Amino acid sequence: MPSPKITFIGAGSTVFAKNLMGDILSFPELAGAHICLYDIDAERLAVSERVGRRIVETLEVPARIEATTDRSRALDGADYAITMIQVAGYKPGTVTDFAVPKKYGLRQTIADTLGIGGIMRALRTIPVLLDYARDMERLCPDVFHLQYANPMAMNVMALNRASKIRSVGLCHSVQGTAAEIAEDIGVPLEEINYTCAGINHMAFYLKFERNGEDLYPLIRKVVEEGRVPDWNRVRYDMFLRLGYFVTESSEHFCEYVPWYIKTGQEKLVERYNIPLDEYITRSENQIRKWSELSSQLQDTSVPLEVKRSVEYGSTIIHAMETGKPAVVYGNVENRGLIANLPADCAVEVPCLVDRNGLQPVSIGRLPPQLAALMQTNINVQNLTVEALLTGNRDHVYHAAMLDPHTAAELNLDEIWALVDELMAAHGDWIPQNLRETVAHAASQLRVA
C-alpha cells in the first residue's frame, strides 16, 4: 500500500499537531506516511517539526516528516489536508473580538463559534480557507480535507458552497461529552452506545444507552442528587428543559442562547458559574506556558509520551486507506440527513468511513424543540456565509441582529455601531469589499 501524503495547515499549533501526528503514526498501516507540516510562523513550525521527528523516533516508524513555509509545496500531491488555523491569532483577533463588544456591554465567554465574536472570526477565517481550497483544486484535486478550525459550521458551509474539494468538519465535542456524561453517571464509556445529531456545538444525544437500557434516567439522577459539576450547570439546566443532553460545554453553550448572560441579571452568572472572558484567560495562560512546554517537547532527555487522542482525523485516514470501516461524527452538508433543518446548512451526524470515503447517516427529523433552537444559530451562520460569498455587506448586520445573545443585550443602533467598530478594528483581516461597503451602508443609516 503506497504511503499517503498528509499535509498539516497551521502546524504551528504544536500540541494539536503532536496529537494528530501521534494518532496517525500509531496505526501500523500509516507508519510510513509522509507528513508535511506547513505554517506561516517559521519559529513555531520548527518546533512542530522537531516534535514530529521525536514522535517518529519514539514510535520507531519509517514516516517522513517535512516542514515548509511554502504553501504550494505543502499541498502539491497531498492525499489528505488537515486545517487547524486561527486567522489573526489571539492578538489582534481574539482580543479585539472581546474588547470591542465589552465597550457596548456585550460580554462573551469563548467568542469563536457564534455571537459577534464568531461572526468576526468567520469573516477573517473563511476567505483564507477558500484560498487554501483553490490551491487544493489546483495542486491536489482529489485530496480529502479535514477541517478543524472554528467557527466550524460556518467554515464547512462556505467550503461546501464555494469549493469542489471533499471536506469534513471535525470536532471532539461529541465523543468528549459522552466521556464526561459516562463519568457523571458512573458507567464505563466503552459500555455505552449513543446516537447524536444536530449542528456543531449544538448537537444532542438522541439515544444514550447500555445494552438497550436507556441511560437518561441516570443523567436525571445526577441532578436529583445534587451531583451536577459546578462547571457544567448550563448544560444540565438545558437537559432538564429540553429533555436531551447537548454536546458542547457550558462555557460555550451559554453564549449561543439569550438566557444566561444578561445585563442587570448578574446573579445568573453566579448561579450558572459562567466564566466570562474564559477564552482570553485560557489563551493568556497558554502563551505564558508556551516556552516551557516547547522546551519540554523538544528535550530529548525527557521521554516523549505518545498516546492516542480522541480526535477523529487519524481514524478517517486509516479507514479510507485500509478499507477497514469506522464510524465517526462529522460536520457535512445537510443533504437530506436531518429533515427539519435547512438543506444547505452544516450538520453534525454519524458517518461511516471506508474506501468509499465519508458516508453520512440519515437521521430523519429531530425533536421539534431541538430543531427550533438550532435554527436560531443556523440563521446567523447562513447570513455570515452569505455576506462573504456575495460581498453583500448588509448581511453582516443581519447576522449580528439575529444572533440570540447579541439581540438579547443590544438594540439595533448599538448592533450596527458595534459591527462598524469591529470591522474597522480588524482592518485588513476583513475582506476589502465588505470593509468599504459597510462604511457606506452605515452612513446611509445615519442619514435616514
Side-chain angles (χ1 to χ4, degrees):
M1 184 175 68
S3 298
K5 179 179 178 179
I6 305 168
T7 296
F8 287 39
I9 301 173
S13 301
T14 300
V15 174
F16 194 62
K18 169 189 175 292
N19 290 339
L20 288 181
M21 284 189 281
D23 290 349
I24 292 167
L25 298 180
S26 293
F27 281 113
E29 298 92 340
L30 301 178
H34 171 193
I35 295 180
C36 185
L37 306 175
Y38 164 79
D39 203 283
I40 60 174
D41 187 325
E43 182 180 353
R44 293 182 71 101
L45 178 63
V47 174
S48 293
E49 180 183 13
R50 286 191 286 272
V51 171
R53 296 191 188 284
R54 288 204 65 202
I55 292 171
V56 169
E57 293 171 0
T58 300
L59 296 178
E60 298 181 337
V61 294
R64 175 187 170 194
I65 304 294
E66 176 189 9
T68 181
T69 55
D70 183 332
R71 191 163 89 193
S72 293
R73 177 181 168 186
L75 287 172
D76 189 22
D79 298 293
Y80 302 91
I82 305 174
T83 46
M84 51 186 89
I85 61 173
Q86 183 180 356
V87 179
Y90 168 65
K91 289 183 179 180
T94 299
V95 169
T96 301
D97 286 341
F98 275 88
V100 175
K102 192 179 291 186
K103 291 167 54 179
Y104 291 76
L106 185 62
R107 299 168 298 173
Q108 302 170 96
T109 53
I110 307 294
D112 73 349
T113 297
L114 205 76
I116 195 67
I119 293 168
M120 291 299 138
R121 182 177 278 218
L123 296 184
R124 301 193 304 270
T125 304
I126 288 173
V128 176
L129 285 175
L130 293 181
D131 276 348
Y132 290 144
R134 283 187 282 272
D135 279 353
M136 292 177 201
E137 289 171 356
R138 176 172 57 90
L139 296 165
C140 49
D142 296 325
V143 73
F144 191 79
H145 177 208
L146 297 86
Q147 203 291 121
Y148 274 102
N150 280 322
M152 176 62 67
M154 289 189 251
N155 292 345
V156 170
M157 194 181 295
L159 285 164
N160 287 335
R161 293 184 187 179
S163 170
K164 298 177 182 178
I165 294 297
R166 295 177 301 161
S167 295
V168 63
L170 297 176
C171 180
H172 52 240
S173 59
V174 172
Q175 63 271 43
T177 295
E180 292 168 358
I181 298 174
E183 183 174 349
D184 288 352
I185 64 177
V187 176
L189 179 61
E190 59 272 17
E191 296 180 12
I192 297 173
N193 63 288
Y194 54 80
T195 300
C196 189
I199 60 175
N200 183 241
H201 287 192
M202 195 179 275
F204 290 81
Y205 297 94
L206 306 177
K207 180 176 72 174
F208 205 79
E209 299 178 343
R210 175 176 57 178
N211 298 326
E213 173 197 2
D214 181 12
L215 295 178
Y216 263 116
L218 292 184
I219 301 176
R220 188 172 295 275
K221 197 172 181 180
V222 172
V223 181
E224 294 169 351
E225 295 179 354
R227 295 187 286 109
V228 173
D230 287 342
W231 53 269
N232 216 7
R233 296 176 189 172
V234 169
R235 278 200 292 188
Y236 271 92
D237 186 48
M238 279 289 93
F239 161 61
L240 292 179
R241 298 176 191 275
L242 295 173
Y244 297 87
F245 208 92
V246 73
T247 52
E248 193 44 65
S249 63
S250 287
E251 66 264 25
H252 272 274
F253 189 86
C254 65
E255 64 180 8
Y256 306 157
V257 295
W259 308 305
Y260 295 103
I261 307 172
K262 299 186 76 67
T263 301
Q265 298 186 46
E266 276 65 31
K267 287 186 178 180
L268 285 172
V269 172
E270 180 180 350
R271 175 182 172 186
Y272 290 104
N273 196 31
I274 295 170
L276 296 172
D277 297 330
E278 199 273 343
Y279 194 69
I280 292 287
T281 302
R282 182 195 308 176
S283 297
E284 290 177 348
N285 288 338
Q286 288 174 343
I287 290 169
R288 279 194 296 269
K289 294 176 180 178
W290 165 249
S291 294
E292 179 183 349
L293 178 60
S294 173
S295 298
Q296 289 176 353
L297 291 174
Q298 297 178 81
D299 186 352
T300 56
S301 67
V302 179
L304 183 69
E305 183 180 26
V306 180
K307 62 179 181 179
R308 294 200 62 80
S309 75
V310 299
E311 304 296 344
Y312 285 131
S314 66
T315 302
I316 291 173
I317 295 172
H318 181 259
M320 291 180 69
E321 287 295 302
T322 65
K324 297 177 181 177
V327 175
V328 302
Y329 277 81
N331 291 271
V332 296
E333 187 174 20
N334 187 25
R335 297 181 179 178
L337 303 174
I338 298 181
N340 51 344
L341 291 183
D344 59 352
C345 74
V347 293
E348 191 164 50
V349 294
C351 302
L352 172 67
V353 194
D354 56 21
R355 284 198 189 277
N356 294 315
L358 193 88
Q359 302 147 78
V361 174
S362 177
I363 295 297
R365 296 181 67 85
L366 294 175
Q369 72 274 25
L370 303 186
L373 181 60
M374 293 172 200
Q375 186 64 58
T376 66
N377 282 218
I378 293 169
N379 292 336
V380 180
Q381 297 163 1
N382 182 59
L383 285 163
T384 304
V385 172
E386 196 72 13
L388 283 160
L389 298 187
T390 65
N392 186 338
R393 81 271 183 174
D394 291 337
H395 291 326
V396 180
Y397 297 112
H398 297 157
M401 70 185 281
L402 289 173
D403 174 68
H405 176 44
T406 305
E409 291 288 272
L410 305 182
N411 65 42
L412 288 173
D413 288 339
E414 290 169 333
I415 291 171
W416 252 248
L418 171 58
V419 169
D420 286 343
E421 188 169 345
L422 276 167
M423 298 282 271
H426 282 302
D428 291 345
W429 293 108
I430 302 293
Q432 185 176 2
N433 61 339
L434 291 179
R435 293 201 314 273
E436 291 175 347
T437 51
V438 161
H440 176 63
S443 66
Q444 286 184 325
L445 183 67
R446 286 193 289 271
V447 170

